[in-house]
Amino acid sequence: MDKHSLSTPSDADEPQSRNPFQRLYAAFESPGRRRALHAVILVILIVTPWISSQYTTVILTNALLYVVLCLGLNIVVGYAGLLDLGYAAFFAVGAYTAGILTQQFGVNFWAAIPFALMAAALAGVIIGGPTLRLRSDYLAIVTLGFGEIVRFSARNLEITGGASGLSQIPEPSLFGWYIDSSIDFYYVFAVLAVLAYIASQRLFDSRLGRAWLYVRHDEDAAEAMGINRVTTKLAAYVIGAIFGAIGGIFFSVNLGAISPESFSFQQSVLILLAVVLGGMGKIPGVILGAFIVVLGPELLRDFGTLRLLIFAVLLLLIMLFRPSGIWPEKRS
């Protein structure tokens, strides 16, 4: 049994339902082999920027950022089953809070991180609290509206720099070492992606993770079992918001400048696309989806203006043949 699954198939159906990625991962079911796989992945992460061009390193850094964001949204959508079309709002809250504190008030970057995380958690409560009793389309519309409210607020407030956004955000330093090169930020986001993976796995295996599972499949039955569905769903929003804020914090210092257009509805759609494409609720699938969404258009760059069209067609074909995602949940 795959411990990442939310349901269990029959033994007869399982081999046929697995794709090559799942069969490869299943070969490492034992703890020893799983640790060896993790060690190989870590070695690849460490070595890659030294054998790649600067351009490749920058693209992979962006992919690792999406891994963090997608794992955060997976908590909301994949674990708790809450459709969120405004996830970029939490991404923006983290980025703008860190940018404002460091650029306008001279706060040390590391000291600004707790304030950015608290702001994101507060945003999670603000959006989560009034909407937790909504379901399906109504919830999606409200989260979409929240995302656009945050973006338009950032565009019109003076403290956020208006439509031009914030620039000259200072680079962080750690014990006298300035984090400023593409390789530096690659390793920063690699560490964040690894930590996000570990946190996602621990949450899934926790009592809270099981509560999310029950609420996702049947809210009424979960409440009858004594699970407080309101606090359980609110926890998903808050934790997902914190993941998004962490990505936004380091995104702001990586670029050194942010604008409202960096956190548009399109950004929310891309993050959601990666989660759905990879397989909602499946950590390996979500990571794979994040890399596909970022690397796909880059690998098709030789096709010029047609690359996005070709990429869209490929995505449609994937969803036609794998409607539950590349790495779907096992179903009974």
Side-chain angles (χ1 to χ4, degrees):
M1 180 186 300
D2 187 343
K3 67 180 180 179
H4 295 295
S5 301
L6 300 184
S7 56
T8 306
S10 64
D11 293 337
D13 294 337
E14 182 177 345
Q16 286 81 5
S17 65
R18 284 181 171 177
N19 60 34
F21 296 107
Q22 290 173 303
R23 288 195 291 270
L24 176 62
Y25 197 72
F28 294 89
E29 286 289 347
S30 67
R33 290 184 176 182
R34 186 63 56 83
R35 285 193 292 268
L37 175 62
H38 290 163
V40 170
I41 294 174
L42 285 175
V43 170
I44 293 174
L45 284 175
I46 293 171
V47 172
T48 297
W50 300 104
I51 60 176
S52 305
S53 64
Q54 183 176 1
Y55 172 76
T56 303
T57 301
V58 171
I59 298 301
L60 290 176
T61 300
N62 194 34
L64 292 170
L65 166 64
Y66 266 74
V67 168
V68 176
L69 297 175
C70 291
L71 288 174
L73 183 59
N74 186 53
I75 292 174
V76 181
V77 177
Y79 290 179
L82 305 171
L83 182 56
D84 189 345
L85 295 180
Y87 190 71
F90 304 126
F91 184 35
V93 168
Y96 270 102
T97 303
I100 290 170
L101 290 176
T102 56
Q103 193 251 17
Q104 298 189 15
F105 295 96
V107 177
N108 179 272
F109 170 75
W110 304 106
I113 291 179
F115 293 99
L117 297 182
M118 287 189 289
L122 179 61
V125 172
I126 291 174
I127 180 59
T131 62
L132 288 181
R133 298 192 181 278
L134 300 176
R135 300 186 186 184
S136 188
D137 300 340
Y138 300 102
L139 178 62
I141 292 171
V142 171
T143 55
L144 169 60
F146 175 73
E148 290 302 286
I149 287 172
V150 170
R151 184 169 70 91
F152 281 107
S153 297
R155 173 181 278 180
N156 291 284
L157 292 177
E158 184 178 350
I159 195 172
T160 59
S164 299
L166 298 175
S167 59
Q168 298 181 341
I169 299 174
E171 299 161 343
S173 63
L174 186 64
F175 303 115
W177 167 51
Y178 281 89
I179 304 174
D180 55 5
S181 69
S182 58
I183 293 181
D184 292 342
F185 279 106
Y186 168 87
Y187 283 122
V188 167
F189 282 102
V191 170
L192 292 176
V194 171
L195 293 177
Y197 168 80
I198 295 173
S200 294
Q201 183 59 65
R202 293 295 179 90
L203 285 168
F204 184 86
D205 294 332
S206 69
R207 180 177 299 178
L208 179 59
R210 291 191 292 273
W212 284 332
L213 166 63
Y214 300 141
V215 169
R216 174 185 174 184
H217 285 290
D218 193 327
E219 290 188 21
D220 296 328
E223 196 163 35
M225 293 170 60
I227 296 174
N228 188 324
R229 63 181 182 181
V230 173
T231 56
T232 300
K233 291 160 73 174
L234 186 61
Y237 267 114
V238 171
I239 296 174
I242 290 174
F243 273 65
I246 291 172
I249 291 166
F250 287 91
F251 171 79
S252 65
V253 294
N254 182 20
L255 293 185
I258 52 176
S259 69
E261 301 312 311
S262 300
F263 313 101
S264 63
F265 172 64
Q266 180 182 359
Q267 191 73 259
S268 296
V269 170
L270 285 176
I271 300 170
L272 180 61
L273 170 64
V275 174
V276 175
L277 180 67
M280 292 188 297
K282 297 288 291 186
I283 296 175
V286 170
I287 294 173
L288 181 62
F291 274 92
I292 290 175
V293 166
V294 174
L295 300 183
E298 297 301 325
L299 294 176
L300 297 172
R301 187 168 288 276
D302 290 342
F303 292 94
T305 56
L306 293 177
R307 66 188 178 111
L308 293 181
L309 175 61
I310 296 173
F311 184 59
V313 171
L314 292 175
L315 291 180
L316 287 173
L317 291 175
I318 291 174
M319 297 312 298
L320 284 174
F321 290 100
R322 305 292 300 186
S324 297
I326 296 175
W327 203 308
E329 298 172 352
K330 297 176 186 175
R331 302 192 182 274
S332 52

